[in-house]
Every structure is written in C-alpha cells, then in structure tokens.
Amino acid sequence: MNLSEPYLPAGRKEILEIFENTGALLRGHFLLTSGHHSNVYFQCAKVLQYPEYAEKICGLISDHYHSTEIDTVIAPAIGGIIVGQEVARQLNKRSIFAEREDKTLSLRRGFSLEKGEKVLVCEDVVTTGGSVFEVIDIVKNYGAEVVGVGYIVDRSNGKVNFSYPQFSTIKLDAISFSQEECPLCKEGIELVKPGSRKIKI
Ligand code: ZN
C-alpha cells in the first residue's frame, strides 16, 4: 500500500502542523462525497476560521507575488473569498469575488474590472481548477490581464496548469480508492464520513 506522505517543501512543515492542529487535515479512513475512500480528508475552512492562520498562510501567497504588478485580487466564491481578501489586504489592493448564478460564475454586486487591469486570481483549494479557470475567463472577458494564480492547497496531483504563473503554499496529493480496491477497508479500519457521525460498514 502506498499512502504517500504529502509533498512537503522546506519551510512548509508549519503549515501542515496548522492544518492538523485545526482539524483541516484529517488522517484516517474517509468516505468522500464521490463515494471513493481516502486516507486523508481536507477542509480548508477549518483553518481559515482562524484569522491569525489565514494571515500566516495567505502571507506566503502575498509574499510570492509582492513584486508582481497587481491592481486587483479576484477569487471564486465561497472558498476563495477569504484567501483573496487576506492576500489583497496584505498587498493593499482591491479585492473582489465572482459568485455562481445559474451554475455560472460571474461578477455581481457592482463589481467590475477595467480593460488592462492587472489581476491576481486566488483560491483556497485547487483539485481540477474548474472555478479558477472560470474566473480567468471572466478576467479575460473584461479585457483585464491575469498576472498570476495563488492558492493555498494544490490537490491536483500536479495535473493543473493555468497557463499563468501559479503558486500554491502546499501540495497535498489526493489519493482515493474505490471501495473494492480500498486498502484501508482490507485492513478493517473504521470508515468515517467527514462532518457526520462515524459510520461502519
Ligand atoms: Zn475503504
């Protein structure tokens, strides 16, 4: 069984500890909404509920882009809002978000972008990158310019390429198994559905 440890660049150990201490990163045997099983469950909101941790972790994104020319930070709702707001606060830039209406992300609430405006896209977790790709399209449709993408956790297993500079504070490979192939089931480890009572199979 290869349940590889998350990729951990130097200096990122503290982030992993914060994730574990806040319960954002759980290790065990989990039933995912997809029906697959995993040895890791991650819920970014659990760490972002603490502003001091949001400041520290989002600080890695703002540090990374501090010398990039940025006018505005944009994020997809809901998960990305706190990240975008905190990164924008640290960079002292405007912060806006796109939200889903009829399944499509768009700018509402009077938010807008100007032609040529330089925009940093922020998100909490990237798995397939779908929401970020949608936000990139919004920025381009306004004639504004994407200068980079910053996100806290890369769960894409290295597969997502936004075609712009991209930076994640940590990579946590998403490993999941069908029930039939799950090594944790074979070991008889109790299956847990995150966010609910423990269930047994
Ligand atoms: Zn299992």
Side-chain angles (χ1 to χ4, degrees):
M1 176 168 70
N2 176 22
L3 299 176
S4 65
E5 284 297 304
Y7 166 62
L8 191 61
R12 301 293 190 268
K13 190 167 184 291
E14 190 184 0
I15 299 177
L16 203 54
E17 285 173 358
I18 292 169
F19 286 170
E20 290 180 335
N21 291 342
T22 55
L25 179 64
L26 302 175
R27 296 177 192 279
H29 182 196
F30 301 102
L31 176 62
L32 306 179
T33 49
S34 64
H36 280 211
H37 296 187
S38 179
N39 66 323
V40 167
Y41 180 74
F42 186 75
Q43 173 50 268
C44 205
K46 294 271 277 185
V47 66
L48 295 176
Q49 68 183 312
Y50 301 104
E52 65 178 291
Y53 294 144
E55 179 179 28
K56 184 172 279 190
I57 294 169
C58 293
L60 294 165
I61 298 172
S62 45
D63 281 354
H64 183 83
Y65 286 109
H66 83 279
S67 60
T68 301
E69 195 181 333
I70 295 166
D71 298 309
T72 295
V73 177
I74 186 171
I78 296 174
I81 292 179
I82 294 172
V83 180
Q85 181 74 23
E86 179 59 24
V87 170
R89 187 188 69 82
Q90 295 185 18
L91 295 172
N92 195 24
K93 305 298 179 188
R94 187 167 76 106
S95 175
I96 63 175
F97 57 86
E99 57 198 302
R100 221 163 272 290
E101 184 181 29
D102 300 329
K103 297 185 177 177
T104 305
L105 280 174
S106 62
L107 295 185
R108 300 175 69 189
R109 303 168 196 268
F111 289 152
S112 184
L113 289 165
E114 289 179 16
K115 199 170 181 183
E117 198 168 343
K118 296 185 187 311
V119 181
L120 176 67
V121 181
C122 283
E123 174 64 301
D124 59 350
V125 181
V126 165
T127 305
T128 63
S131 295
V132 170
F133 281 115
E134 273 191 73
V135 169
I136 288 171
D137 283 343
I138 290 170
V139 173
K140 285 159 58 175
N141 287 341
Y142 276 89
E145 180 189 342
V146 176
V147 295
V149 182
Y151 43 108
I152 294 178
V153 182
D154 186 338
R155 300 216 70 193
S156 77
N157 298 353
K159 286 181 185 154
V160 171
N161 179 1
F162 293 115
S163 303
Y164 295 96
Q166 61 188 68
F167 171 79
S168 63
T169 72
I170 197 166
K171 296 181 186 349
L172 294 174
D173 281 353
I175 301 167
S176 67
F177 315 96
S178 66
Q179 187 177 319
E180 297 72 33
E181 294 172 336
C182 179
L184 302 158
C185 283
K186 292 190 175 75
E187 286 181 29
I189 298 169
E190 189 178 18
L191 181 67
V192 173
K193 186 177 182 184
S196 67
R197 294 184 325 180
K198 288 184 177 181
I199 56 171
K200 289 183 178 178
I201 57 167

